[in-house]
Amino acid sequence: MASWTSAMGAAQLARLLNSQQDRPAGPGTRRPPAYRALADGIRLLVLEGRVPVAARLPAERELALALSVSRTTVAAAYEALRTEGFLESRRGAGSWTAVPAGNPLPARGLEPLPPEALGSMIDLGTAALPAPEPWLTRAVQGALEELPPYAHTHGDYPAGLPALRSMIADRYTARGIPTMPEQIMVTTGAMGAIDAICHLFAGRGERVAVESPSYANILQLMREAGARLVPVAMAEGLAGWDLDRWRQVLRDAAPRIAYIVADFHNPTGALAGDGQRRQLVEAARSAGTVLIADETMSELWLDEGVEMPRPVCAFDPAGSTVITVGSASKAFWAGMRIGWVRAAPDVIRSLVAARAYADLGTPVLEQLAVNWLFSTGGWEQAVEVRRGQARENRDALVAAVRRELPDWEFEVPKGGLTLWVRTGGLSGSRLAEVGERVGVRVPSGPRFGVDGAFEGYVRLPFTVGGAVAVEAAARLAAAARLVESGASGGGETPRTFVA
C-alpha cells in the first residue's frame, strides 16, 4: 500500500522551483553544486507548505527533463533529501515528501503560536491583537444575563439569533445600505462565512478569481475546497486594484466567484476608492461572477482624516452580484468567533439550508455578547481602543524595521493590521525558516500568493509594539544576516534552484 496521499507532477514542481528567486552570490561566496541547490529548493517548498508532506514526487527522469538537468543531479538531490529525513522511498511505490521527527513546519506561520512558545518566540505570524478590556468581560456578563430564555430552547439557530440579525441589518442601514434581517446570516467567523459561500457557489474545479497577493488562510480554504484559483495581480504599493487586469480576467476566465478585501487589504493594506469599487462590481456583474467582499478590516482606519469609501455592496443595489462578509474577529477579538453574511434573501435561505449538513449554527453565548456590544455602544468604544493599539504598534514597528533593515521596502498603510514588506532580495521562505531559530515567527510572501509568487516578501502584522517591536526587528535583522551569509540551512550555502 502506498504511503503517499497526493502526487506532484514534474511540470508543477519545476514551476514551483523556478518561482523561487535566486539571489546573486556575494564576493567570495561559493555556489553550491546543482544537486544541493535542488535539494534545498525542494526542502524549502516542503517547509513552506507549497509541496505537501506525503506528496509523491516525480520520477528522477521526469523531473530531470522538466528542469533540463541531468538525471544524476536529481538522483543526488533525492538521496540528500532522504538522508536529511525530507524524503522517503520504497521500491515500487516511488518517493514522497516527509518531515524529520521533531522538525516543525516554521514557514507555514499563520497558525496561532502554541502557548508554550510564547515566552521565547515573538509571534508575527497572526494578525490579531489581545482582547480589548474591560469590554470583553462586560460583553460576556451582559450575554449571561440575556441567556436564560435561550437556554430553554434547543439552541440551534442556523440563520443566527433574530436579535443579532436585526442589529447587523440596522448597522448596514445606518451606513446607507438598506438591509432587512432576512439578508443576514450569522456565521462562525468570516472563515465560516466564506467556506459556506464557496460550497454554495463554487464546486470542485470551479474557477475563483483572487487578488494576488491575498489573505493566505482564505487561499488555503479555497484550495482545499477544490477551487481553481485565478490570481489577479495587485498594483504596486498601496495603489490597489488594477481594473484593466480584473476586467480581462473576469472576461476571459469567467470565474464563478471572486474574492476581494477592499478595506485595508490583507496583506498590503491598500484601500479601494469608490471608483475602484464601482468598477469592480460592474466588471463582476458583466461577467456573471459573484463578488465576495470581505470587510473584516473596514473599521480599522488608523490615521486621522481617513475618509472611508462606501461599502462594496452599495454599488450593487439589486443585490445580485455582491455578497458581503463581516466579522468581529479583527476589529474586536479573534477569540470572538462571530461573523456574518449580507446577501440577497434567496442566497441567505440557500446558505441557511446548507448548514444542516455543516455546523448547524453559531454559539449562542458569543452571539449574545456581540449583540450586547452593538446595542450598548460598547463596540464603538472597544474598536476605538483597538485602533489606538494598532496605530501605536504600527508606528513602533515601522520605525524599528526602518532602523534595523534599511534595505527593506514598504509603504505604510492608513489602516488595517498588516505591513507588506519587500525584503531587499532575500528569500522570504528562508527568512521565515531562520526567523524561528532566532526567536521571531513571520510568514513569508509565498503564503499569500498562488504557485510560489512573492518569494521576496514577508508580512509583518501590527501585533507588537514598544520594546517588543524593537526586539522583533532586531531578530529579523539577525535572521536576514544569516540568510545573507548563506547560513540558513545545513551543509553548503543553500540557494534556490533555478533551471
Side-chain angles (χ1 to χ4, degrees), residues 95-109:
S95 299
W96 57 93
T97 56
V99 174
N103 197 84
L105 295 176
R108 291 186 66 84

Side-chain angles (χ1 to χ4, degrees), residues 16-278:
L16 289 172
L17 288 163
N18 289 330
S19 72
Q20 298 173 324
Q21 295 179 354
D22 190 29
R23 180 172 54 84
T29 303
R30 184 161 59 92
R31 181 175 292 276
Y35 86 88
R36 181 69 258 174
L38 174 55
D40 286 332
I42 294 174
R43 175 175 59 83
L44 282 170
L45 288 173
V46 173
L47 290 173
E48 179 62 30
R50 287 178 282 160
V51 172
V53 175
R56 185 178 186 273
L57 296 187
E60 295 169 1
R61 189 184 304 277
E62 294 174 358
L63 185 57
L65 184 63
L67 293 173
S68 300
V69 299
S70 70
R71 182 179 177 181
T72 302
T73 296
V74 178
Y78 278 14
E79 181 58 33
L81 289 168
R82 277 190 288 269
T83 301
E84 296 162 5
F86 285 92
L87 197 68
E88 296 181 8
S89 303
R90 189 171 65 242
R91 185 178 298 276
S95 299
W96 57 93
T97 56
V99 174
N103 197 84
L105 295 176
R108 291 186 66 84
L110 292 182
E111 299 83 3
L113 190 68
E116 62 270 17
L118 290 175
S120 60
M121 185 78 68
I122 297 176
D123 186 11
L124 298 181
T126 303
L129 290 162
E133 287 288 23
W135 290 276
L136 174 61
T137 299
R138 291 176 181 172
V140 173
Q141 291 171 341
L144 287 171
E145 293 176 1
E146 298 293 330
L147 183 61
Y150 297 94
H152 293 293
T153 73
H154 50 62
D156 288 334
Y157 295 86
L161 296 184
L164 182 55
R165 295 177 72 195
S166 180
M167 183 64 68
I168 294 170
D170 289 347
R171 290 174 65 84
Y172 277 106
T173 300
R175 294 167 66 188
I177 316 297
T179 303
M180 303 179 296
E182 292 79 10
Q183 292 177 262
I184 302 295
M185 181 178 82
V186 181
T187 63
T188 308
M191 293 287 289
I194 294 169
D195 183 53
I197 296 166
C198 288
H199 278 89
L200 180 63
F201 285 96
R204 299 193 69 83
E206 291 275 8
R207 295 185 180 92
V208 178
V210 294
E211 299 147 328
S212 185
S214 186
Y215 179 35
N217 286 340
I218 293 297
L219 295 181
Q220 190 61 27
L221 181 155
M222 291 177 173
R223 289 188 188 101
E224 292 182 359
R228 298 165 59 190
L229 300 183
V230 182
V232 186
M234 297 281 286
E236 284 294 315
L238 298 177
W241 293 258
D242 186 323
L243 274 303
D244 288 337
R245 288 176 180 171
W246 270 100
R247 292 188 191 94
Q248 180 179 356
V249 167
L250 293 175
R251 181 181 63 248
D252 295 347
R256 185 69 183 91
I257 60 178
Y259 169 75
I260 64 166
V261 185
D263 300 291
F264 306 119
H265 175 259
N266 186 353
T268 68
L271 176 64
D274 281 337
Q276 289 178 315
R277 295 169 189 240
R278 178 182 290 105

